[in-house]
Amino acid sequence: MDLDSILSSLDWSPLFISLKTGFAATLISFFLGIGAASLVLRISPRLRAVIDSILTLPLVLPPTVAGFFLLLLFSVRRPFGSFLLETFNIRIIQSWTGCVIAATVIAFPLMYRNARGAFEQVDINIIHAGRTLGLSEWTIFWKITLPAAAPGILSGTVLTFARAMGEYGATSMLAGNILGKTSTISQTIAMVMQDGNYAKAGVWTGIVIIIAFIILWIMNKVGSRKTYQKGWW
């Protein structure tokens, strides 16, 4: 089977679902990650270490372990999942919402860690100068801290999107692999490989490589701009 035949026979829904899931999870992780990073830096170092470990835990856990806990939490046979279904008619299991939740849980630590690292590199003297001028903490954060940390936050956002879009383990356990509904590119590659369709798996792999290349290109552009702004070139 030639490339044109494979492309014409492809169901493109996994690509759209992956992109849609990646954007949604990145948007959620962006605000949660920035908020968590700014709050963690304000608490005592001893408590900070505990909370930091909890927030970063999904980054080091196998995705299937995170998926298992999510499945326990949102299963309709469990109290919380049953409450969502009976009260709000919301079913997380085997739904696109489940894809977003799983991708967000797995990708969030990347956004959080990058945001925290970016905030820690902001010159504290600039913040003190803002306080001396009588600026509120809210104004200092939005007008000084956030713009100064923007390159690191942007890098974290790109990495978060890449991780969310490529998530497989937790998504498979929580949302399943329903074609046209929850089937992402990663799940599709695994499925066609099991069917022995290596040509179609190769096409999907090529698509993922192209997307990954674009993401890395954006990362390099962001890094180059950050380096130039610091005067290293």
Side-chain angles (χ1 to χ4, degrees):
M1 183 179 293
D2 58 23
L3 181 60
D4 291 336
S5 300
I6 296 174
L7 290 175
S8 61
S9 65
L10 279 183
D11 179 358
W12 293 97
S13 62
L15 175 60
F16 299 135
I17 292 172
S18 295
L19 291 174
K20 184 170 63 172
T21 301
F23 281 119
T26 301
L27 183 63
I28 297 171
S29 298
F30 178 83
F31 291 104
L32 291 180
I34 290 177
S38 61
L39 289 175
V40 165
L41 292 176
R42 297 173 184 270
I43 62 179
S44 63
R46 181 176 299 179
L47 183 59
R48 183 187 308 167
V50 176
I51 296 179
D52 182 79
S53 299
I54 295 174
L55 294 177
T56 312
L57 192 60
L59 187 64
V60 297
L61 285 176
T64 50
V65 174
F68 173 75
F69 282 108
L70 290 173
L71 190 61
L72 289 180
L73 178 64
F74 291 107
S75 173
V76 294
R77 297 181 179 180
R78 300 292 176 177
F80 185 63
S82 177
F83 169 77
L84 290 177
L85 182 62
E86 295 176 0
T87 306
F88 303 104
N89 196 28
I90 297 176
R91 183 185 180 94
I92 303 300
I93 305 297
Q94 296 184 339
S95 69
W96 179 71
T97 304
C99 287
V100 175
I101 291 174
T104 301
V105 169
I106 298 300
F108 164 80
L110 286 172
M111 187 68 241
Y112 161 72
R113 296 295 300 184
N114 277 272
R116 179 181 168 181
F119 288 149
E120 288 176 334
Q121 293 179 7
V122 175
D123 189 352
I124 192 65
N125 293 320
I126 301 177
I127 297 176
H128 289 327
R131 290 171 179 165
T132 302
L133 294 173
L135 299 179
S136 66
E137 292 296 326
W138 183 258
T139 302
I140 290 173
F141 177 76
W142 285 104
K143 298 293 186 179
I144 298 177
T145 306
L146 196 59
I153 291 176
L154 183 57
S155 297
T157 303
V158 175
L159 286 174
T160 300
F161 173 76
R163 186 66 185 88
M165 198 192 73
E167 163 52 28
Y168 173 75
T171 302
S172 299
M173 296 192 68
L174 185 63
N177 186 15
I178 305 173
L179 187 62
K181 185 178 180 182
T182 65
S183 182
T184 62
I185 291 180
S186 299
Q187 293 170 316
T188 300
I189 292 175
M191 182 177 64
V192 296
M193 283 290 293
Q194 291 177 355
D195 295 338
N197 194 337
Y198 295 99
K200 185 174 289 188
V203 171
W204 279 117
T205 301
I207 293 172
V208 172
I209 291 174
I210 292 172
I211 295 174
F213 176 82
I214 294 173
I215 291 172
L216 289 174
W217 180 82
I218 295 174
M219 285 287 298
N220 288 329
K221 294 292 289 185
V222 172
S224 298
R225 182 177 301 178
K226 182 178 179 181
T227 301
Y228 178 78
Q229 290 174 345
K230 286 187 175 182
W232 292 352
W233 283 6

